[in-house]
Amino acid sequence: MPSATATAHPNIALVKYWGKRDIPLNLPSVPSLSLTLDRFATTTTVTRGAAEDEIVLDGARVEGRAAERVLRFLDLIDPDRPPCRVQSTSNFPVAAGLASSSSAFAALALAGSAAAGHDLNPIRLSVLARRGSGSASRSLWGGFVEWRLGEAADGSDSHGVPVAPPEHWDVTMVVAVVSEAKKAVGSTEGMERSRRTSPYFDTWVATAAADVDAARAAVLARDLPRLGEVMESSTFKMHATLHTARPPIFYQAPGTLACLHAIFGLRAAGVGAWATMDAGPQVKVLCARADAERVAAALRPHAVRVEILGPGGAPTVEHAP
Ligand code: PMV
């Protein structure tokens, strides 16, 4: 039976994607820019021609909406597909604001397309992965990646574009896992509530392109203070749209705030460290490799665990022998 296995790394947005101009196509309201991580990864095998559709995530068979989301995605790859078996494992907590959907749908797009014998052009795969999860469009490349808005109604020009490879700049992301609980409000619902009800959403959209321009320039110049500052600003603007939605959404847990204060304290002491957060309570801190241990030590009292990650590479794929 034709089968392929792909491994993809999650990415963390340095300038955030938040808001959809088209929900079924996952077309963004704003451009974004991310860093693909090393060490954290999702590995997915797609086998075509199984007895029935079967989805196994981290060793457990899944049914219902989670399974439907995967199966509808396989239908995008091949509307006439035979029943498929999808087996996927991630070595980090899923659905807890660690960008697991980015590596999951990048790996699924690659494994599913390879098993179907399609061409594996990364731009085409990025457009496809975007349909599963917007942030997945950026996990088709390693290092620093921009996701352009695009203009085409069918979304064919809204995809990732590599900005700089992982070896361009050895920055680190120190990830403080504050809680491993699954998030209460999914990102699509959070984005829609922000868009429909926050009085700050229009300002968020109006300022995003300038943030991407500033972040891209900072990455190319390896200017950490400039990148950290724009990353924090993008983060807090995104969360301001959530806090001012009706009803409001707070992804932060008490430990999140403790981590933020620890980082602000380090900065006051002269350490170059800047924080970001996604649709969950975890805090991710951008800093120089030389400061990573000190940053991790400041976060540890407030976290379940702390991981130090660097820039990761592009996804890989293997066909079954
Ligand atoms: O890829 P989605 O639909 O789960 O959205 C992710 C949104 C954020 O992680 C909060 C920001 C981003 O750009 O990754």
Side-chain angles (χ1 to χ4, degrees), residues 134-180:
S135 56
S137 66
R138 301 183 306 235
S139 271
L140 270 301
W141 291 268
F144 301 86
V145 182
E146 189 175 330
W147 173 15
R148 302 254 168 94
L149 279 176
E151 288 174 1
D154 67 356
S156 53
D157 58 355
S158 184
H159 52 72
V161 176
V163 170
E167 54 279 6
H168 168 71
W169 193 13
D170 189 25
V171 289
T172 61
M173 268 290 176
V174 183
V175 176
V177 178
V178 169
S179 161
E180 296 192 319

Side-chain angles (χ1 to χ4, degrees), residues 79-318:
D80 301 319
R81 67 177 178 83
C84 291
R85 178 176 158 84
V86 176
Q87 210 175 349
S88 184
T89 53
S90 293
N91 65 353
F92 61 102
V94 299
L98 278 181
S100 57
S101 63
S102 63
S103 51
F105 281 98
L108 186 61
L110 188 49
S113 298
H118 290 178
D119 94 271
L120 302 180
N121 172 300
I123 296 218
R124 201 192 65 80
L125 290 172
S126 172
V127 168
L128 172 64
R130 189 202 74 222
R131 300 282 301 272
S133 176
S135 56
S137 66
R138 301 183 306 235
S139 271
L140 270 301
W141 291 268
F144 301 86
V145 182
E146 189 175 330
W147 173 15
R148 302 254 168 94
L149 279 176
E151 288 174 1
D154 67 356
S156 53
D157 58 355
S158 184
H159 52 72
V161 176
V163 170
E167 54 279 6
H168 168 71
W169 193 13
D170 189 25
V171 289
T172 61
M173 268 290 176
V174 183
V175 176
V177 178
V178 169
S179 161
E180 296 192 319
K182 289 209 171 194
K183 61 189 164 203
V185 182
S187 55
T188 298
E189 187 190 336
M191 288 182 200
E192 270 308 281
R193 205 186 297 169
S194 299
R195 187 184 66 78
R196 283 198 319 269
T197 65
S198 170
Y200 299 146
F201 190 80
D202 289 348
T203 306
W204 158 252
V205 171
T207 59
D211 287 349
V212 168
D213 289 345
R216 189 193 314 106
V219 166
L220 294 175
R222 300 187 188 89
D223 184 339
L224 190 59
R226 191 164 167 212
L227 183 61
E229 201 270 331
V230 73
M231 181 187 79
E232 268 192 3
S233 172
S234 173
T235 302
F236 289 121
K237 281 188 288 185
M238 167 191 145
H239 284 277
T241 72
L242 285 154
H243 299 169
T244 53
R246 292 186 175 190
I249 299 170
F250 276 78
Y251 285 117
Q252 292 78 19
T256 313
L257 206 52
C259 287
L260 291 178
H261 281 285
I263 295 309
F264 299 152
L266 276 181
R267 255 209 333 265
V271 179
W274 290 266
T276 188
M277 301 167 295
D278 294 289
Q282 327 311 355
V283 177
K284 298 121 193 179
V285 179
L286 182 70
C287 64
R289 176 74 61 180
D291 292 325
E293 269 309 329
R294 190 164 169 195
V295 168
L299 296 171
R300 244 173 231 124
H302 314 295
V304 182
R305 59 198 177 94
V306 174
E307 307 265 4
I308 299 173
L309 299 118
T316 55
V317 66
E318 278 172 43

Side-chain angles (χ1 to χ4, degrees), residues 68-87:
E68 276 303 303
R69 193 172 169 196
V70 172
L71 294 171
R72 295 297 75 82
F73 188 80
L74 292 178
D75 295 343
L76 294 175
I77 296 173
D78 177 5
D80 301 319
R81 67 177 178 83
C84 291
R85 178 176 158 84
V86 176
Q87 210 175 349

